[in-house]
Amino acid sequence: MRSDPGCGITASSDPIRGVEQGEFMIFHSFEQVQNHLDHLGLFHMDFGLDRMRRALRALALSETPYPVVHIVGTNGKGSTSTFLASLATAHGLKTGLYTSPHFLTPRERIRINGAMLSPKRWTALASRVHEAAPDLTYFEFLTAAGLLAFAEEHVDLAVLEAGLGGRYDATTAAPAQLLCYTPIAMDHENVLGHTIGAIASDKAGAIRPMPNGSFVLTGPQPREALDCLARAAEESGVPFVAVEPRALPFGLLELSDPASIPRLGLAGPHQITNSRLALAAWEFLCAERGWRLTREATLKGLADARLAGRFQFIPADAGLPPIILDGAHNPHGLNALAAALEEARIRPRAVIFSCLADKNRQEMLPLIRRIAGNSPVFTPTIQDNERAMSGEVLAEELGSNAVPAQRLRLALDAAAMTKPADAEQPVVLCGSLYLLGEFFTLYPNRLEESVPASPQMDR
């Protein structure tokens, strides 16, 4: 990078990363944006909210022109966020949705009314963000881009899914009118702590002073986590409401009769809990902001919700057996997957499983054995991931039914060659979302085909 004394800035041109102006980058293609993100490093973390707060001030987003719902927790964040965004869209609101991680492209993370932004819009947004804050980390950069996109697109509502934690998560720097907690469970222990209390304490750090009329809502929680959230809300002076599994707190829509559970676009009994939290959040927003709420639009919003890799059914095609994709990557998620398979009476012909090396395998592997039963378990090594667990080690830890596979493609071929009692028996592909990302890289047309895994789930 050269200094230019005539204009007082430094300038250089890099066809891969963009054109530098001073300390910021002007991007001319989405490829350059992608390469800049790769340069930042997907797994790089630098705790603290000061960078994000400076970025939001520079972008005039310290107070957003739209209400924000912030979704925090361990499991179910993406599903709850998707349900809420779908409810708002079905009621005619222009809705921004920010989720993570992505499978094929960062463009998946920022959606408006369910649609990704164009590469051209992404290029312009990235230049604006880098000009305002050239020192952001990967996740901070994308979070700022999402908030800016929602402002420039004049959304009526933004739904933000938190990333790894709460206290120092980049999404916590954004103002929020409503904060929702999905179930808190053991995950990312090396970062967040080795007990439910420690993890809940970090996630409770997302509770901050909020505008009058705001709420903190939570779905079912372990007692230790519930107490931690309640204390944090009380200390911040924000009302705290625990959403009962079969009752909604604001009374605008009566769905407490189990027989009245609506058809859900995301399958599995755990999605009933996620949809209830989203419904409670939607009722709150309607009551607070005077938005219209109708039963017809509500049922449509719940049925239209789609999110790839959540008990997603892939029909048999082109040499592939039928497959159920599920991003269950911790004990809580695997228990939910096992319950969903049992309720749908699905016995897998084979299981394909892999995870990252820092996961708690001691609790996860017995659940994989339970899901597989007598069927084989194929354990590919996730490719191009510095945190990947060795498939050979996984197979050794799982025991006699497990077979290592060097790559996912080989595991899929081996699973297709199994001889099930019923040709309709699916292969269950589960574990790390990065493993699912490899599947979508092989079959990119399947990414937007988020079909519930069984008609029995459409209740």
Side-chain angles (χ1 to χ4, degrees):
M1 186 182 297
R2 295 183 296 103
S3 175
D4 183 351
C7 60
I9 63 172
T10 58
S12 70
S13 178
D14 184 333
I16 300 300
R17 293 189 57 205
V19 176
E20 295 180 4
Q21 298 289 337
E23 295 184 356
F24 66 89
M25 196 87 66
I26 297 175
F27 302 100
H28 294 289
S29 69
F30 182 73
E31 181 185 12
Q32 291 178 346
V33 177
Q34 178 69 74
N35 280 298
H36 174 68
L37 291 170
D38 292 343
H39 175 76
L40 292 177
L42 179 62
F43 295 122
H44 175 67
M45 291 183 289
D46 190 351
F47 293 117
L49 296 179
D50 288 344
R51 289 179 305 278
M52 270 300 295
R53 288 173 176 150
R54 286 195 300 269
L56 295 184
R57 284 195 298 270
L59 293 167
L61 291 172
S62 294
E63 297 296 331
T64 55
Y66 46 78
V68 171
V69 180
H70 190 194
I71 312 290
V72 183
T74 301
N75 291 311
K77 298 191 300 292
S79 297
T80 301
S81 299
T82 298
F83 276 125
L84 179 54
S86 186
L87 285 166
T89 301
H91 281 85
L93 297 186
K94 190 173 187 179
T95 308
L97 175 62
Y98 177 71
T99 60
S100 61
H102 62 269
F103 291 117
L104 295 180
T105 169
R107 293 176 55 220
E108 298 165 35
R109 298 183 182 225
I110 301 172
R111 294 176 183 258
I112 295 176
N113 286 356
M116 294 188 290
L117 302 177
S118 70
K120 183 177 180 180
R121 285 289 292 121
W122 262 88
T123 302
L125 287 166
S127 294
R128 289 277 310 281
V129 170
H130 203 278
E131 177 181 4
D135 58 343
L136 296 180
T137 66
Y138 188 107
F139 188 70
E140 291 169 344
F141 189 96
L142 293 175
T143 303
L147 292 166
L148 179 61
F150 299 152
E152 292 188 347
E153 295 292 330
H154 305 290
V155 302
D156 300 305
L157 172 69
V159 182
L160 304 183
E161 178 193 356
L164 186 149
R167 186 182 311 278
Y168 297 119
D169 195 86
T171 54
T172 300
Q177 184 175 8
L178 180 61
L179 182 55
C180 298
Y181 279 93
T182 65
I184 294 173
M186 300 301 293
D187 200 9
H188 299 294
E189 293 94 333
N190 291 340
V191 178
L192 301 180
H194 294 275
T195 66
I196 287 289
I199 292 171
S201 178
D202 182 274
K203 294 184 185 293
I207 300 176
R208 62 273 202 194
M210 298 162 73
N212 290 334
S214 300
F215 272 82
V216 175
L217 303 181
T218 183
Q221 299 288 0
R223 171 52 60 181
E224 192 174 1
L226 187 66
D227 291 344
C228 184
L229 296 177
R231 283 195 304 271
E234 182 179 10
E235 291 168 1
S236 295
V238 183
F240 180 76
V241 176
V243 179
E244 295 297 326
R246 299 201 179 277
L248 299 180
F250 300 106
L252 297 180
L253 186 70
E254 179 53 54
L255 291 173
S256 58
D257 180 359
S260 69
I261 295 173
R263 186 172 70 88
L264 302 179
L266 301 177
H270 54 289
Q271 296 296 2
I272 296 174
T273 299
N274 295 330
S275 67
R276 293 284 171 147
L277 182 57
L279 273 169
W282 177 241
E283 287 201 348
F284 161 79
L285 290 167
C286 290
E288 181 64 25
R289 304 190 70 83
W291 288 340
R292 177 178 62 97
L293 186 155
T294 70
R295 182 178 180 83
E296 180 182 4
T298 297
L299 296 179
K300 175 176 172 53
L302 294 174
D304 286 350
R306 293 290 186 272
L307 186 61
R310 274 68 169 184
F311 212 60
Q312 176 184 354
F313 178 66
I314 304 292
D317 181 49
L320 279 180
I323 295 173
I324 291 175
L325 299 175
D326 195 89
H329 58 274
N330 55 40
H332 185 274
L334 287 169
N335 270 311
L337 172 59
L341 290 167
E342 289 168 7
E343 181 175 279
R345 299 175 184 171
I346 293 173
R347 289 193 308 112
R349 69 164 72 187
V351 172
I352 299 175
F353 171 78
S354 194
C355 65
L356 301 184
D358 55 5
K359 294 297 179 180
N360 181 359
R361 300 190 302 283
Q362 185 176 358
E363 293 186 39
M364 293 170 65
L365 297 187
L367 294 169
I368 293 297
R369 297 187 196 103
R370 170 186 162 191
I371 289 169
N374 294 324
S375 299
V377 181
F378 299 100
T379 58
T381 301
I382 299 170
Q383 299 299 299
D384 302 319
N385 192 307
E386 62 196 43
R387 294 166 57 199
M389 181 68 188
S390 161
E392 292 188 358
V393 174
L394 264 181
E396 184 177 342
E397 292 179 348
L398 275 164
S400 58
N401 280 4
V403 181
Q406 190 173 18
R407 291 179 176 272
L408 175 59
R409 174 72 271 177
L410 298 175
L412 288 167
D413 290 343
M417 293 175 64
T418 58
K419 303 296 183 183
D422 181 350
E424 298 302 312
Q425 277 184 272
V427 172
V428 171
L429 196 163
C430 63
S432 173
L433 291 172
Y434 299 106
L435 179 66
L436 271 62
E438 277 196 50
F439 177 87
F440 289 121
T441 298
L442 293 170
Y443 302 97
N445 61 314
R446 301 297 192 180
L447 181 60
E448 300 296 319
E449 298 177 6
S450 301
V451 180
S454 168
Q456 296 180 40
M457 293 296 176
D458 292 347
R459 304 186 288 138

